[in-house]
Amino acid sequence: MRKNSIKNTRINGEVLKELSSIIQMEIKDPRIAPMTSVVSVEVAPDLKTCKAWISVLGDAKAAEDTLVGLNSAVGYIRRQLAQRVNLRNTPEIEFILDQSIEYGVDMIRKIDEVIGADELAAEMRPDEP
């Protein structure tokens, strides 16, 4: 099975849906932030490994605590995934903190600062004939 095959894409979507459900509904670890979402999932073509990118709404401490909580519950999550998704192999799950939303917000803030500085400079300049 190729990495970008239709079958692999379907498996990625199903694992994403089930991981989201397991994390939101079944994990009761207080370290895991309530606003944790699974952004993307990439299951290897041999179904042995799975990378799950998660996003946490909150500060850096909440994100790190959530990552620690998810890594401690990875055995339970994997067992639940095996019961819900019928795969030949249940993949080993690796949780990765997704920084793309924070990066996007930071870039928007920087763009706004530059635009504000340009507008201020334009107001300070005398009118040209």
Side-chain angles (χ1 to χ4, degrees):
M1 179 171 59
R2 290 188 327 252
K3 187 174 182 178
N4 293 329
S5 69
I6 293 172
K7 182 178 178 184
N8 194 279
T9 304
R10 257 194 343 246
I11 290 171
N12 287 343
E14 189 66 24
V15 170
L16 175 94
K17 183 177 81 169
E18 294 301 332
L19 272 180
S20 295
S21 174
I22 292 167
I23 291 171
Q24 290 295 321
M25 303 297 179
E26 296 188 22
I27 304 291
K28 303 297 182 205
D29 193 334
R31 294 176 289 189
I32 298 174
M35 294 299 291
T36 300
S37 60
V38 181
V39 176
S40 178
V41 169
E42 184 180 307
V43 179
D46 62 357
L47 305 177
K48 299 281 186 191
T49 60
C50 168
K51 292 181 182 177
W53 285 269
I54 60 163
S55 177
V56 179
L57 185 64
D59 59 353
K61 172 120 176 66
E64 288 301 318
D65 288 347
T66 298
L67 204 54
V68 169
L70 287 173
N71 285 327
S72 70
V74 75
Y76 175 79
I77 294 170
R78 187 173 181 220
R79 187 169 48 249
Q80 291 298 316
L81 189 63
Q83 291 175 357
R84 295 178 181 205
V85 181
N86 186 17
L87 294 174
R88 181 180 38 227
N89 298 318
T90 303
E92 292 283 336
I93 304 167
E94 175 188 358
F95 291 104
I96 301 167
L97 195 59
D98 183 38
Q99 303 283 342
S100 63
I101 295 172
E102 292 176 26
Y103 179 76
V105 169
D106 188 46
M107 291 307 291
I108 289 171
R109 184 183 53 79
K110 288 179 180 179
I111 290 170
D112 288 344
E113 287 175 4
V114 169
I115 290 173
D118 285 348
E119 289 174 353
L120 184 64
E123 290 176 4
M124 301 297 264
R125 262 186 265 145
D127 291 332
E128 296 176 9

